[in-house]
Amino acid sequence: SVNIMDWDEAIDLGANMYRGYYREIDQYFEERDRAWEKNAYTLTIGPLTPDILDRFESEAESLLVHPGFLGCYGKQFYYWKIGSDYINYRKRLEKIVAGLSSQRLGIWGHHDSSFLYDRDEPDWPVTDPPVGYCYVKIMGRPGSAWRNAPYLTRTEMVLNPHRFKLAEVNYYAAFHDDEVVPLNFLNNQSMRADDWHGLRNESYLSIIYGATGLYHWVCTQKGGLQRLRGWFQELNYMWPVFVADDAQIKVEIQPQGSKVDYRLKKWQGKYYLLTANRDEPTQHAAIKINGQEGMKVKKLFELPGSLSVENNVIRDAWEKYGTHVYEIEFAENR
């Protein structure tokens, strides 16, 4: 997902979605059509406030049933104890989306502890069709506040597994306190936003913990999108694996208490072990695939580490933001 300023460059690099806003203007129809002409989708943000729901209801059918619209991202909530006006807003917006002639997904965005609102709170509607969760993680932020996302990532494990879970991992780099940004540059973004490894790490952690979709809001200084070319290509390659079924094979990791998290997927006869370091220090671990013989392992994307394979055990090192993917074949499948 990108903003309009980087439109053509981002699509050429592999982005496939435009983040449009539903406000008191008419341009969202034009943005939707432009995106579709470039084989890209649109996810509308909003309506963000209760006062424009009447207008949205009158236009929802013509706007959202277009094949280029993925769904309606209603609002991001920062606190779970919201007022009755927004409780009613949530319920009404879901009913509007539920009434469309072509099914679309309603998505609610959450920061911090707002996920508690959706855990058996009595005011949550239970009769409407599935609603997705979106966890907002601001990545790329320099300084001590940079890595604010692990708490949000782990909350994905408590969500209803039958609801779509969209992990919003954003590449938005705010400037340092000691940084002076020239007037001809966007004045809320860092000139040092040159490291996308945290974005990749948090994306894999989201999939490992059960997210069924990834959404990036990419916002960079001009020219910064080129840094993400490799990541876009990796996403296109890995996406069938991310949404594939989990492998029904027992996996164990040593030492106990390791900060390396993992998930084993099966896709087209091969197995894919997704791993990511959820902590800051370098981790060393051994991952055992039980009950299989003749294991052949290929580490994808040529990332650093210290891979060794013996029998059915994979040993490696995961640095800060370390994220490794192993493609595995067993003798019976070769």
Side-chain angles (χ1 to χ4, degrees):
S1 171
V2 293
N3 58 41
I4 200 70
M5 294 180 294
D6 305 313
W7 182 270
D8 294 304
E9 181 184 9
I11 297 300
D12 290 343
L13 291 173
N16 64 356
M17 184 167 61
Y18 176 69
R19 175 181 174 132
Y21 288 85
Y22 187 90
R23 299 189 178 108
E24 292 289 347
I25 54 176
D26 296 324
Q27 71 179 33
Y28 38 81
F29 286 99
E30 299 173 8
E31 292 168 350
R32 177 202 66 189
D33 293 340
R34 183 184 177 197
W36 194 238
E37 287 176 358
K38 296 184 71 68
N39 297 316
Y41 292 96
T42 298
L43 181 69
T44 181
I45 308 297
L48 298 176
T49 56
D51 58 296
I52 59 174
L53 275 178
D54 287 340
R55 179 181 177 184
F56 179 76
E57 185 170 17
S58 69
E59 296 180 336
E61 182 71 22
S62 58
L63 180 66
L64 293 181
V65 299
H66 187 282
F69 255 109
L70 292 180
C72 177
Y73 186 163
K75 183 175 174 60
Q76 295 175 0
F77 288 89
Y78 291 81
Y79 303 100
W80 67 276
K81 290 184 177 179
I82 59 177
S84 60
D85 55 339
Y86 273 100
I87 291 174
N88 293 331
Y89 154 83
R90 294 179 75 148
K91 292 181 178 181
R92 185 179 173 194
L93 183 57
E94 287 189 8
K95 292 183 185 299
I96 293 172
V97 176
L100 296 173
S101 60
S102 180
Q103 189 176 32
R104 291 292 183 269
L105 187 73
I107 301 171
W108 298 116
H110 299 265
H111 291 257
D112 52 67
S113 61
S114 61
F115 79 95
L116 294 172
Y117 176 79
D118 295 335
R119 294 186 62 199
D120 303 319
E121 287 293 320
D123 289 316
W124 181 259
V126 296
T127 58
D128 289 335
V131 174
Y133 299 95
C134 182
Y135 272 77
V136 183
K137 310 160 193 210
I138 308 299
M139 305 308 297
R141 223 174 240 186
S144 59
W146 194 95
R147 195 165 168 79
N148 66 338
Y151 168 76
L152 289 171
T153 299
R154 288 191 285 275
T155 62
E156 288 158 2
M157 293 188 293
V158 307
L159 297 178
N160 184 335
H162 301 294
R163 288 189 176 181
F164 179 73
K165 291 177 282 186
L166 180 70
E168 179 176 348
V169 186
N170 291 334
Y171 188 74
Y172 180 97
F175 59 84
H176 288 261
D177 291 340
D178 64 349
E179 188 172 4
V180 177
V181 178
L183 289 177
N184 60 318
F185 285 84
L186 298 172
N187 61 8
N188 62 343
Q189 292 174 42
S190 175
M191 301 291 289
R192 308 177 196 171
D194 58 355
D195 188 348
W196 54 271
H197 294 91
L199 176 81
R200 181 176 183 267
N201 175 262
E202 203 60 49
S203 296
Y204 271 93
L205 283 172
S206 297
I207 297 296
I208 289 168
Y209 279 117
T212 44
L214 277 176
Y215 167 52
H216 297 324
W217 182 35
V218 178
C219 208
T220 67
Q221 297 286 4
K222 188 170 181 60
L225 279 172
Q226 291 293 329
R227 301 187 183 102
L228 299 177
R229 178 189 295 273
W231 174 235
F232 288 158
Q233 292 173 345
E234 182 175 339
L235 280 177
N236 289 330
Y237 181 84
M238 289 297 299
W239 192 247
V241 176
F242 289 162
V243 297
D245 292 335
D246 290 337
Q248 301 304 306
I249 298 176
K250 185 178 180 181
V251 180
E252 298 179 80
I253 190 167
Q254 293 291 336
Q256 291 186 354
S258 170
K259 300 301 178 60
V260 175
D261 291 319
Y262 59 88
R263 194 168 194 136
L264 185 63
K265 295 280 189 174
K266 185 177 182 180
W267 169 247
Q268 294 187 335
K270 296 181 180 180
Y271 296 84
Y272 293 85
L273 182 63
L274 316 179
T275 68
N277 181 5
R278 71 172 187 264
D279 206 357
E280 301 284 338
T282 297
Q283 302 288 313
H284 296 269
I287 302 177
K288 182 180 181 181
I289 314 294
N290 287 295
Q292 302 294 320
E293 300 295 335
M295 187 170 70
K296 179 182 177 182
V297 178
K298 177 183 178 182
K299 188 175 181 180
L300 301 183
F301 312 120
E302 300 181 354
L303 292 175
S306 56
L307 173 65
S308 67
V309 180
E310 183 178 356
N311 298 323
N312 60 344
V313 178
I314 296 171
R315 290 182 172 84
D316 212 335
W318 289 258
E319 298 178 349
K320 181 179 180 180
Y321 314 134
T323 306
H324 302 326
V325 180
Y326 308 94
E327 183 183 87
I328 302 171
E329 293 182 85
F330 298 108
E332 63 182 34
N333 301 116
R334 295 202 296 271

